[in-house]
């Protein structure tokens, strides 16, 4: 374990420090090896030259100069040496002159090669392979290279980019699927009133000229036709409203518990008269000021109240909690509760029965969910243990 720590430190060095380290080690090794080779070459030359000197005269010269003197062995002329000794001597001259230069260049090349293999090869290959996969629209992979150097940071950023592309792809496919569902819902909702209008038109065309239908029945058909036209008008207006939902961003307003209670009571007064049922509003006192889009909060509250009053038996209870970082609106009724899961209920154009779809477009819960999510919160749908539906809209503080 102790041996692995220095290697980890070296592996995590920056690119600049690593190349400097490799070059320094290569030059030091080249210098040591050059000194060793030059020493051997020098000793080899001395050994060869010793065979061509007058040994007695050389020894007398050394003795005459004293104990600590150094006398180099004289270099013999080329014609005095054999061809092999001459070749070896010249080779030694070459080694003494150029060894350090050759080994320095070789060491530098080796350092660059090792630097590329150990520091750059793996991340470059991973990035090249990742680029090919992304170009082929394949985002189901991971970049596994991990290091604290520049290449590691680059691979980390590339991996973050891949994850973001994958998220964007998922969002895109989700939007495409939602658009398909929306088109299917549009076709379904328009087909129903058109079928009714077509049937009434055929009946009036067939029976009215021959007086096989009385005026009261004709007026009833015309009245029902008008209701179907109004239904399509409502549907078109709903579609216009939905087209602007995605682009709407929450605006930061200061919301207090007292102010919100006053606004909700004004809506309750209108809704109680419309549905003929009772609403109970509970707003605990709070000095906290919530920062959020007041219009969005009130629109979600109206949608939840309308939905609860439509399906309740006698009354609806609203609990509003205002805190600094979160605002929640809990709406519960005494009806039969939800019969399907939350994901199905919050789809666009959802309706529990055909009669209900004649008056309501079925996007109130969808809009409420979308607005809660845009506000950093969520819409929670549950059934009460004692019966009835419970919907909680949660909004997070925005700045």
């Amino acid at each position: 374990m102790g041996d692995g720590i220095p290697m980890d430190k070296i592996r995590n060095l920056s690119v600049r420090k690593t190349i400097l380290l490799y070059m320094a080690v290569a030059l030091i090794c080249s210098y040591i090896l050059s000194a060793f080779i030059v020493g051997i070459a020098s000793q080899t030359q001395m050994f060869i030259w010793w065979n061509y000197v007058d040994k007695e005269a050389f020894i007398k010269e050394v003795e005459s100069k004293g104990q600590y003197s150094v006398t180099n062995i004289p270099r013999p002329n080329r014609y005095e040496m054999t061809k092999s000794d001459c070749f070896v001597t010249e080779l030694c001259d070459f080694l003494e002159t150029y060894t350090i230069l050759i080994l320095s260049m070789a060491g530098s090349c080796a350092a660059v090669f090792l630097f590329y293999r150990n520091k750059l090869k793996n991340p470059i290959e991973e990035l090249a392979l990742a680029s090919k996969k992304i170009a082929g629209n394949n985002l189901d992979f991971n970049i596994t290279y991990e290091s604290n150097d520049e290449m590691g940071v680059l691979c980390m950023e590339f991996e973050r980019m891949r994850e973001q592309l994958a998220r964007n792809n998922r969002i895109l496919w989700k939007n495409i699927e939602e658009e398909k569902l929306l088109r299917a819902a549009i076709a379904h909702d328009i087909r129903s009133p058109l079928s009714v209008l077509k049937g009434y038109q055929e009946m009036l065309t067939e029976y009215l000229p021959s007086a096989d239908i009385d005026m009261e029945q004709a007026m009833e058909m015309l009245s029902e036709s008008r209701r179907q036209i109004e239904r399509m008008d409502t549907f078109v207006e709903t579609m216009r409203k939905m087209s602007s939902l995605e682009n709407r961003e929450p605006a930061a307003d200061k919301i207090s518990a007292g102010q919100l209670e006053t606004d909700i009571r004004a809506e309750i007064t209108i809704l109680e008269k419309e549905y003929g049922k009772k609403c109970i509003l509970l707003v605990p006192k709070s000095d906290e000021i919530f920062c959020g889009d007041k219009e969005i909060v009130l629109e979600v509250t109206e949608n939840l109240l309308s939905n609860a009053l439509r399906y309740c038996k006698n009354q609806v209870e609203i609990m509003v909690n205002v805190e600094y970082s979160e605002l929640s609106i809990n709406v519960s009724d005494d009806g039969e509760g939800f019969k399907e899961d939350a994901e199905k209920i919050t789809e666009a154009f959802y309706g529990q029965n055909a009669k209900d779809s004649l008056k309501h477009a079925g996007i109130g819960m969808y809009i409420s969910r979308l607005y809660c999510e845009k506000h950093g919160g969520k819409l929670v749908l549950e059934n009460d243990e004692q019966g009835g539906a419970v919907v909680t809209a949660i909004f997070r503080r925005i700045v």
Side-chain angles (χ1 to χ4, degrees), residues 105-171:
M105 293 178 62
S108 299
C109 292
V112 171
F113 172 78
L114 292 174
F115 170 76
Y116 172 79
R117 190 191 69 177
N118 298 334
K119 199 72 172 175
L120 301 180
K121 183 180 178 181
N122 289 340
I124 288 177
E125 288 179 351
E126 289 228 16
L127 291 174
L129 181 60
S131 299
K132 289 181 180 179
K133 288 183 177 180
I134 291 176
N137 202 27
N138 177 17
L139 298 174
D140 189 18
F141 68 92
N142 293 99
I143 297 177
T144 58
Y145 182 81
E146 294 182 0
S147 178
N148 294 330
D149 61 2
E150 293 88 339
M151 298 305 296
V153 173
L154 180 60
C155 288
M156 190 185 305
E157 292 300 323
F158 203 95
E159 173 67 10
R160 187 177 291 114
M161 180 191 72
R162 183 202 64 79
E163 291 177 352
Q164 186 61 48
L165 285 174
R167 279 195 295 270
N168 292 342
N169 259 11
R170 288 193 293 269
I171 293 172

Side-chain angles (χ1 to χ4, degrees), residues 29 102 119 128 164 181 221 227-228 237 274 304 310 314 317 339 347:
C29 292
I102 294 172
K119 199 72 172 175
Q164 186 61 48
L181 294 174
M221 289 183 184
R227 283 196 292 272
Q228 295 298 330
E237 176 62 21
E274 180 180 350
L304 299 186
R310 192 156 59 246
N314 298 305
E317 183 175 301
K339 298 179 180 179
E347 287 180 356

Side-chain angles (χ1 to χ4, degrees), residues 57-73:
F58 182 80
I59 292 172
K60 288 180 179 180
E61 182 182 353
V62 172
E63 289 177 349
S64 65
K65 289 184 177 180
Q67 182 180 359
Y68 300 103
S69 64
V70 177
T71 303
N72 292 326
I73 298 174

